Amino acid sequence: MPIRVSCVILAAALAASGQSLRDLAKSKGVYFGAAGAVLFLNEGDYPTVLAREFNQLEPENDTKFGPIHPAPETYAWQRADALVEFGAKHGMRMRGHTLVWHNQNPAWLTKGSFTPVQLNGILESHIAAVMRHFRGKMIGWDVVNEAFNDDGTMRSTIWYDKPGIGLQGTGYIEQAFKWARAADPDAKLFYNDYNNEAICAKSDAMYAMVKDFKARGVPIDGVGLQMHLTLKPNLDTYEANIERFEKLGMIVEITELDVRVPVDASGKADPADLVKQAEIYERVVRGCLKFSACKAIQVWGVTDKHSWIPGVFKGTGEALIFDKAYQPKPAYTAVRKAFEAAK
Ligand code: XIL
């Protein structure tokens, strides 16, 4: 039973060192976060592991437009408030996700046949209501999520051109950031996307946008690299990419890290793949920690048990650092090593 043996060894290593990942992260001046759901806060090991290993928490779904604004005049604060309460109780930094996105929007919005002028008003008041509600509680927000296609062109969304809020190019993103700054002047404002960790067409488009925003005084504080990776990530230019955003004065945060691996019909991965996965985790964390711009590294869930990966990327799974039984995986040890090695 090689897998069980290695888990026992990992658990022993954890006990021996005494320091959790959050302690290690703190000692390096960064945050180690997880996406979380209120649904699991009463479930067995979930709250224990979340509070023990992570000093940052981000609602995986509960602050998205649909979940939090289910009807035109209704905001559903309860679930996100419960996460904020959990975070406060356990000394966690809270990050909000996300105000402007093409997914998980409510039917009243997507089927509403609103004019650009109406959509403009809806988005402004949504951003104001949500950010004001969490003012002083969320340290920052992914204001706009996934606005670019992989080739660097603008994604077609309800906010851009279906029918859009009436602004050209990156104008709707700019407008959203301005509304966000007005709603909560203390919150850090992020643009967040996936497939943007390397220097590539999408990260070039982001770079051009940020440079333009900085030159014109449009408020933006950071960029989020989601980093939903496979066993063949494109990391050759990852550090050079962080560096160029750092030079623009951006905070750079890893916001949704997971590394999916092939799994069999019962959802099990090959142990050799979990070793490769660990190497990738280590590389990502080490790379980020080389830069003072890198303030947080966050994984997209606490445990493989509740990860979004198997449901969306069929035939893959086991993408996180704790297995389905909340045991630390090789990836856990790798993250630990990367934190320990950092200056
Ligand atoms: C995912 C959640 O993990 C799932 O529970 C939900 O069903 C769909 O969204 N990029 C993002 C995240 O910015 O919000 C997505 O989260 C994953 C991809």
Side-chain angles (χ1 to χ4, degrees):
M1 300 277 282
I3 296 175
R4 270 195 89 164
V5 171
S6 68
C7 284
V8 171
I9 292 168
L10 289 167
L14 170 63
S17 83
Q19 272 195 314
S20 63
L21 293 180
R22 71 178 272 171
D23 294 335
L24 277 170
K26 191 171 176 213
S27 74
K28 306 295 173 180
V30 300
Y31 292 89
F32 186 61
V38 74
L39 200 66
F40 310 128
L41 288 182
N42 293 319
E43 180 200 284
D45 291 334
Y46 187 95
T48 316
V49 174
L50 179 59
R52 187 187 71 213
E53 300 292 341
F54 301 94
N55 58 354
Q56 175 175 289
L57 177 58
E58 175 169 312
E60 182 170 348
N61 289 296
D62 294 324
T63 42
K64 291 172 180 172
F65 203 126
I68 210 157
H69 194 169
E73 305 302 331
T74 309
Y75 285 89
W77 307 118
Q78 215 182 1
R79 285 182 310 267
D81 282 348
L83 285 172
V84 167
E85 198 184 314
F86 182 91
K89 188 167 156 207
H90 297 286
M92 301 167 99
R93 175 203 212 217
M94 298 297 301
R95 223 179 159 277
H97 173 79
T98 174
L99 299 163
V100 185
W101 194 26
H102 63 281
N103 272 336
Q104 291 180 268
N105 288 320
W108 70 263
L109 175 66
T110 55
K111 303 219 186 305
S113 301
F114 295 111
T115 65
V117 170
Q118 288 171 321
L119 278 179
N120 194 286
I122 289 168
L123 188 57
E124 179 176 13
S125 62
H126 174 81
I127 290 174
V130 175
M131 287 188 76
R132 282 188 194 138
H133 180 83
F134 294 106
R135 206 171 161 174
K137 294 176 178 162
M138 298 286 182
I139 66 90
W141 284 89
D142 292 327
V143 177
V144 179
N145 198 33
E146 303 178 351
F148 295 107
N149 295 310
D150 282 352
D151 67 3
T153 57
M154 298 295 296
R155 183 193 291 274
S156 180
T157 86
I158 188 168
W159 309 116
Y160 176 60
D161 64 348
K162 280 176 63 196
I165 64 168
L167 297 169
Q168 299 301 305
T170 55
Y172 87 91
I173 305 176
E174 172 173 346
Q175 181 58 264
F177 275 84
K178 288 177 175 163
W179 285 330
R181 182 65 96 223
D184 181 354
D186 299 320
K188 299 287 182 212
L189 308 181
F190 287 83
Y191 176 80
N192 190 53
D193 216 323
Y194 64 94
N195 284 353
N196 60 351
E197 57 275 3
I199 293 183
C200 60
K202 190 186 261 183
S203 63
D204 282 352
M206 269 173 59
Y207 183 80
M209 176 183 76
V210 171
K211 200 167 172 196
D212 169 50
F213 283 9
K214 292 297 286 184
R216 293 188 298 109
V218 178
I220 181 166
D221 301 301
V223 294
L225 312 179
Q226 293 184 7
M227 302 197 78
H228 294 291
L229 303 179
T230 67
L231 287 180
K232 289 198 180 357
N234 178 9
L235 296 175
D236 291 349
T237 52
Y238 162 59
E239 288 168 24
N241 192 37
I242 295 179
E243 191 170 19
R244 68 175 174 162
F245 283 103
E246 179 174 79
K247 284 196 176 131
L248 284 182
M250 289 291 96
I251 301 167
V252 180
E253 298 191 349
I254 309 298
T255 52
E256 306 186 12
L257 179 60
D258 51 25
V259 182
R260 57 188 182 269
V261 301
V263 292
D264 64 19
S266 68
K268 277 252 127 245
D270 179 343
D273 282 343
L274 297 182
V275 173
K276 286 187 209 150
Q277 174 187 59
E279 286 161 10
I280 294 166
Y281 267 97
E282 185 173 348
R283 174 125 189 249
V284 170
V285 176
R286 268 185 200 257
C288 198
L289 294 178
K290 284 185 188 162
F291 299 92
S292 57
C294 173
K295 303 286 185 224
I297 294 161
Q298 177 166 269
V299 291
W300 203 239
V302 176
T303 158
D304 286 339
K305 185 175 177 190
H306 299 308
S307 162
W308 74 304
I309 290 292
V312 174
F313 300 93
K314 301 290 176 200
T316 72
E318 303 213 350
L320 293 169
I321 64 171
F322 289 97
D323 71 13
K324 292 187 183 110
Y326 293 91
Q327 291 301 306
K329 294 162 61 183
Y332 174 92
T333 314
V335 170
R336 159 177 295 281
K337 257 171 68 187
F339 274 126
E340 282 167 350
K343 298 218 175 62

